[in-house]
């Protein structure tokens, strides 16, 4: 089950939260997710269709090796045309595991959306 809530505070700022849980009747990496963040609309810098997102995520480990995962994320989405947008994303992720040392790292990504 996942519960999702979004709230627009102004024409520039919005916030979101997602919480979810699942059964452990199968092998799973995570039994729960708790996340939240803000979205800043590009109207603040005269790019109405662009936006910046900042989020934090906590994943509670399931019945495998992962105890918990923490993620911090930031992205910038730039719309070039109504059919074309680019998103630049950076995430810091930290896994705590029962049988291994803590794994952590930075993940960079670039996404393209093309609507036809």
């Amino acid at each position: 089950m996942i519960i999702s809530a979004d709230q627009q505070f102004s024409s520039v700022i919005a916030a979101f939260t997602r919480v979810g849980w699942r059964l452990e009747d199968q092998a799973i990496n995570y039994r729960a997710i708790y996340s939240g963040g803000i979205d800043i609309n590009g109207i603040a810098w005269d790019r109405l269709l662009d936006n910046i997102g900042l989020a934090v995520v906590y994943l509670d480990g399931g019945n495998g090796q992962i105890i918990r995962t923490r993620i911090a994320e930031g992205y910038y989405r730039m719309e070039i045309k109504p059919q074309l947008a680019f998103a630049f994303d950076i995430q810091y992720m930290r896994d705590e595991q029962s049988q291994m040392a803590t794994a952590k790292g930075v993940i960079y990504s670039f996404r393209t959306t093309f609507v036809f």
Side-chain angles (χ1 to χ4, degrees), residues 33-86:
I33 179 172
Y34 307 95
S35 68
I38 61 169
D39 183 77
I40 305 166
N41 187 281
I43 196 170
W45 57 94
D46 295 324
R47 298 257 326 154
L48 177 64
L49 301 175
D50 292 5
N51 67 303
I52 292 174
L54 302 169
V56 293
V57 180
Y58 176 84
L59 299 164
D60 192 18
N63 50 19
Q65 300 296 317
I66 300 172
I67 298 170
R68 73 185 58 85
T69 298
R70 295 182 182 114
I71 303 168
E73 177 183 21
Y75 72 88
Y76 182 84
R77 183 179 182 278
M78 177 188 321
E79 188 164 306
I80 305 302
K81 294 181 174 185
Q83 305 87 356
L84 179 65
F86 299 113

Side-chain angles (χ1 to χ4, degrees), residues 18-30:
R18 314 275 185 269
V19 294
W21 306 269
R22 69 164 291 161
L23 299 174
E24 292 188 51
D25 56 345
Q26 301 175 21
I28 59 170
N29 287 328
Y30 301 104

